[in-house]
Amino acid sequence: MDFSLGDDRQMLVDSLRRFLADKLPFAQRKTAAFEGSGWSRDVWGQLAELGAISALFDESVGGFGGSPFDVGVVFGELGRAIATGPWLSALQAGHVLAAAGRTDDLAALIDGSQVVGYAEEEADTWFDPAGIQTRATATATGWVLDGAKTVVSCAGTVDRLVVVARGDSGLSTFLVDRGATGMTVRDYLVIDGGSAGDVTFAATPAVLVGEAGGAGPVIETARALGLVALAWEGVAVMDVLRDQTLDYLRTRKQFGIPIGKFQALQHRMATLALEIEQARSAAINAADRFLGTRVERERAVSAAKATIGKAGSLVAEEAIQMHGGIGMTWELALSHYAKRLVMIGHELGDEDHHLARYIDLGHELADSDA
């Protein structure tokens, strides 16, 4: 099977890599992530001009890509540069807007003029939409929302939010403008340098997106696409950590020789390399099976996320341990990549959650075949 990216995707990868290396070097990334709002809106706008956002969506809705592999290569380059921002959130929000046919709202997201985030998780949902308690109520003039969402990416700085809420007919999605009446945000920085926020709604005006009560399949697909993105980003981060660790083992000397000559460290690096390749295979499989049946898609993305969680923990730990104390220092980029890998392991469900989900979906598959 041919796993090459193809000419168009390779051109996109090369353009993004050059741009991010030039516009978002490590020093500038630290300023944007840890001393500002958690991301650079200026870099976001320039990446939109470069086509990074439009590559996430199909031509039929105004993009020029939209396949799981297009999403994967974009998030891979974002991971390589550890570029912070509401990328995952915008991907999910954009998918919901596209599914509802709201091409004008999606066009504003694609061209960078509007940054749209995504608010689904709540304190007690544990990544299961069945636990969503935020209420949507129809009024004479529209809809209002009441409830709270947690750890919403860049909640304090995005322009609008796509919010998942429960009405009388089931789960629906809504657009809410930042600063809307009754909406409050408590934002904060997270360990990888990005930002998030807890959002509360109290009779907050909202615009219905799509059909009332019919959002279940749409948000499940949006989450699956987000898991593909995280899997490819995680592999890219692991590649960087592996390369930086190999460079260190070749240059750091002890007893007059590079420590990479020690057999024990060679064995540990070999194990690390094997785990990364396993994670890469799982990420490719998740993108490939995305267009299969629902159970095939969901099993593949959960398998990828569980693999990324397991391999990511190993890679982050081994990279830091083989660097020694310097691996934990603020000045070394390696520690920032390790933190991002830890965050990826928990976003949209951790290893344990997706392992259990993979097993449950296997039972569904067996029952359907019986």
Side-chain angles (χ1 to χ4, degrees):
M1 185 177 289
D2 183 11
F3 290 125
S4 61
L5 296 178
D7 292 341
D8 290 343
R9 290 195 188 106
Q10 191 60 56
M11 288 176 59
L12 176 62
V13 166
D14 293 341
S15 297
L16 288 175
R17 191 168 299 181
R18 285 193 300 268
F19 174 86
L20 289 166
D22 178 49
K23 299 295 185 180
L24 201 64
F26 182 57
Q28 182 171 333
R29 186 260 180 192
K30 286 199 299 181
T31 300
F34 293 99
E35 299 174 16
S37 61
W39 61 296
S40 170
R41 187 177 281 262
D42 182 54
V43 170
W44 176 278
Q46 293 178 64
L47 281 167
E49 292 178 7
L50 197 62
I53 302 176
S54 56
L56 304 177
F57 303 103
D58 190 79
E59 291 182 17
S60 63
V61 293
F64 70 76
S67 79
F69 286 99
D70 294 323
V71 170
V73 297
V74 170
F75 274 79
E77 293 311 306
L78 294 172
R80 184 178 294 275
I82 45 175
T84 55
W87 291 100
L88 180 64
S89 191
L91 172 67
Q92 292 180 268
H95 177 81
V96 172
L97 294 173
R102 297 188 68 96
T103 52
D104 290 343
D105 294 314
L106 184 58
L109 171 62
I110 288 173
D111 67 23
S113 59
Q114 289 274 309
V115 183
V116 185
Y118 187 69
E120 178 183 342
E121 302 299 341
E122 299 177 6
D124 298 320
T125 55
W126 294 101
F127 311 107
D128 183 359
I132 290 175
Q133 297 298 314
T134 297
R135 293 294 304 176
T137 306
T139 67
T141 57
W143 292 83
V144 294
L145 304 182
D146 293 276
K149 299 292 182 179
T150 59
V151 199
V152 178
S153 179
C154 303
T157 49
V158 296
D159 300 305
R160 309 173 85 183
L161 284 175
V162 170
V163 182
V164 181
R166 186 176 302 281
D168 292 337
S169 55
L171 291 177
S172 304
T173 52
F174 300 85
L175 266 175
V176 179
D177 292 330
R178 185 176 69 183
T181 304
M183 174 178 167
T184 58
V185 179
R186 183 180 69 85
D187 57 340
Y188 43 81
L189 296 177
V190 291
I191 66 165
D192 65 348
S195 66
D198 297 333
V199 185
T200 303
F201 305 101
T204 301
V207 176
L208 178 66
V209 175
E211 179 185 354
V218 175
I219 64 176
E220 183 178 66
T221 307
R223 178 182 291 265
L225 194 58
L227 289 168
V228 171
L230 286 175
W232 282 66
E233 182 183 359
V235 170
V237 174
M238 285 189 266
D239 282 342
V240 174
L241 285 169
R242 177 204 58 212
D243 293 344
Q244 291 181 349
T245 304
L246 282 172
D247 287 342
Y248 184 76
L249 296 182
R250 293 187 184 111
T251 56
R252 174 72 168 91
K253 290 186 176 182
Q254 196 171 51
F255 306 114
I257 61 172
I259 61 174
K261 295 286 187 181
F262 300 151
Q263 192 175 61
L265 295 184
Q266 291 176 358
H267 287 173
R268 289 169 68 178
M269 283 303 302
T271 299
L272 187 149
L274 286 171
E275 291 292 336
I276 293 174
E277 292 311 308
Q278 180 72 20
R280 193 187 318 279
S281 295
I284 292 171
N285 186 60
D288 180 63
R289 302 311 303 159
F290 189 85
L291 298 179
T293 66
R294 173 192 171 269
V295 173
E296 288 174 339
R297 179 194 72 205
E298 295 301 316
R299 288 196 91 206
V301 297
S302 280
K305 190 57 166 59
T307 305
I308 291 294
K310 178 176 178 291
S313 296
L314 175 68
V315 173
E317 291 168 3
E318 288 285 67
I320 290 174
Q321 288 176 12
M322 282 191 263
H323 273 78
I326 194 175
M328 290 294 293
T329 59
W330 176 265
E331 291 76 16
L332 194 68
L334 178 130
S335 65
H336 297 257
Y337 281 95
K339 288 176 181 178
R340 178 59 194 148
L341 202 49
V342 170
M343 283 293 295
I344 288 173
H346 288 84
E347 288 185 279
L348 300 186
D350 60 13
E351 176 189 350
D352 292 340
H353 170 81
H354 282 286
L355 183 59
R357 189 166 186 267
Y358 181 84
I359 294 169
D360 290 341
L361 288 164
H363 293 156
E364 283 188 35
L365 186 62
D367 291 341
S368 66
D369 292 340

